[in-house]
C-alpha cells in the first residue's frame, strides 16, 4: 500500500465519513457544485433555499435567465453562475436528461464533455464525475496539493500534475472511499490552516 493511501485512510479514520453531496435529489447537489464556486456553503444554501420547488431539470431548463439570477443572487456572481447552470442543463437535456445514458461513456471521455460546458473547470468536472456520475477520480484541489507537498509525498504544483499522479490510487479503492477521501482532505486542510491540528501523526 502506498504512503499516500495510508495517509488518506488515516484522515478518513480520524475525521470519519462526511457524506458530502448525498442529497436524494441529484440535481440539488449538481447545481450546488456551480453555486459553491467562489462563495461559502452558507451562501450556497441560501440560493438553494430560494430555488426550492424548482430544483428539477425541467424547471431549471425552462426558467427565464433573469428569474434564475434573482433566485441565486445570495451565492454571488449570480449572472455568471446563472449562465453556467443554464449551459449545464442544456447539455444534460441534449443527452437525454438521464444519468443512465452516460453509463457507457468512458470516464475521461465524459470528463472532456463536462469541461466543454461553460463554467465547468477541472475541479468541478471531477466533483461531478465523482459524486453525480459515480466515477472513481481524484480531486487534486489546493488542499490535496498542499497536504502532499507538506508531507513530502508529492512535488506536484498543479491540478493536472497531482491528478495524474494520484489517479492510479483510486483504482484500488471503493467509490465511497474515493468520495470520502476528497471530503476528509478538505476538512483536514481547513483544520490545519486554522491551527487545530498538526500532521506528524499522518506519517507515523
Amino acid at each position: 500500500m502506498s504512503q499516500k493511501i495510508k495517509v488518506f485512510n488515516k484522515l478518513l479514520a480520524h475525521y470519519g465519513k462526511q457524506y458530502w453531496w448525498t442529497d436524494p435529489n441529484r440535481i440539488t447537489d449538481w447545481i450546488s457544485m456551480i453555486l459553491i464556486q467562489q462563495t461559502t456553503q452558507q451562501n450556497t444554501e441560501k440560493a438553494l433555499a430560494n430555488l426550492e420547488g424548482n430544483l428539477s431539470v425541467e424547471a431549471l431548463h425552462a426558467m427565464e435567465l433573469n428569474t434564475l439570477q434573482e433566485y441565486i443572487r445570495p451565492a454571488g456572481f449570480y449572472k455568471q453562475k446563472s449562465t453556467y447552470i443554464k449551459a449545464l442543463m442544456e447539455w444534460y437535456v441534449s443527452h437525454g436528461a438521464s444519468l443512465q445514458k452516460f453509463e457507457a461513456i468512458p470516464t475521461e471521455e465524459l470528463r472532456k464533455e463536462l469541461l466543454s460546458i461553460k463554467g465547468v473547470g477541472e475541479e468541478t468536472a471531477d466533483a461531478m464525475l465523482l459524486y453525480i456520475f459515480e466515477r472513481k477520480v481524484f480531486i487534486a484541489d489546493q488542499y490535496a496539493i498542499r497536504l502532499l507537498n507538506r508531507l513530502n509525498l508529492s512535488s506536484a504544483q498543479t491540478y493536472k500534475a497531482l491528478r495524474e499522479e494520484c489517479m492510479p490510487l483510486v483504482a484500488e479503492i471503493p467509490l465511497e472511499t474515493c468520495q470520502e477521501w476528497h471530503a476528509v482532505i478538505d476538512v483536514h486542510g481547513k483544520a490545519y490552516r486554522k491551527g487545530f491540528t498538526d500532521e506528524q501523526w499522518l506519517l507515523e
Side-chain angles (χ1 to χ4, degrees):
M1 183 185 295
S2 77
Q3 188 64 34
K4 291 188 186 73
I5 290 179
K6 290 179 181 178
V7 166
F8 299 152
N9 284 342
K10 280 188 175 183
L11 288 174
L12 181 52
H14 180 75
Y15 292 102
K17 293 182 179 180
Q18 302 298 306
Y19 301 103
W20 282 12
W21 310 114
T22 54
D23 194 290
N25 181 0
R26 307 311 297 135
I27 298 301
T28 299
D29 281 344
W30 208 359
I31 298 305
S32 296
M33 293 172 186
I34 299 293
L35 295 176
I36 195 67
Q37 296 174 11
Q38 298 179 282
T39 193
T40 64
Q41 183 64 32
Q42 184 179 20
N43 288 339
T44 299
E45 289 173 358
K46 289 179 181 177
L48 288 172
N50 287 347
L51 284 168
E52 188 173 355
N54 291 288
L55 285 165
S56 68
V57 178
E58 297 78 14
L60 291 168
H61 186 250
M63 189 177 293
E64 293 290 336
L65 188 63
N66 60 344
T67 302
L68 178 57
Q69 289 173 357
E70 288 306 309
Y71 280 140
I72 69 170
R73 186 184 286 267
F77 300 96
Y78 59 94
K79 290 184 178 180
Q80 291 176 321
K81 291 178 182 179
S82 63
T83 63
Y84 299 164
I85 291 170
K86 295 294 280 186
L88 180 61
M89 293 297 99
E90 182 65 36
W91 174 81
Y92 190 48
V93 168
S94 73
H95 284 71
S98 169
L99 291 176
Q100 292 180 337
K101 292 184 179 295
F102 294 90
E103 291 177 355
I105 302 178
T107 298
E108 292 306 305
E109 183 179 330
L110 180 54
R111 186 175 192 262
K112 288 179 181 178
E113 286 218 29
L114 289 170
L115 288 171
S116 73
I117 302 168
K118 186 177 182 180
V120 178
E122 289 191 299
E123 184 177 339
T124 302
D126 283 333
M128 291 176 178
L129 285 170
L130 182 58
Y131 293 100
I132 304 300
F133 295 97
E134 299 186 335
R135 306 297 180 91
K136 292 194 291 183
V137 295
F138 187 85
I139 299 180
D141 62 10
Q142 284 298 309
Y143 288 117
I145 291 172
R146 291 168 187 160
L147 171 67
L148 294 178
N149 284 179
R150 289 194 302 264
L151 297 178
N152 294 315
L153 295 179
S154 173
S155 59
Q157 297 296 315
T158 65
Y159 191 100
K160 181 179 180 181
L162 187 63
R163 185 181 189 274
E164 290 179 353
E165 189 177 309
C166 291
M167 277 296 287
L169 304 179
V170 301
E172 305 178 34
I173 62 172
L175 172 67
E176 183 182 1
T177 302
C178 188
Q179 293 170 336
E180 293 297 340
W181 274 6
H182 169 59
V184 295
I185 288 170
D186 282 17
V187 168
H188 174 76
K190 292 169 185 174
Y192 180 86
R193 185 182 62 193
K194 294 177 181 177
F196 295 155
T197 185
D198 61 25
E199 291 180 330
Q200 186 57 42
W201 58 277
L202 289 169
L203 296 173
E204 294 173 353

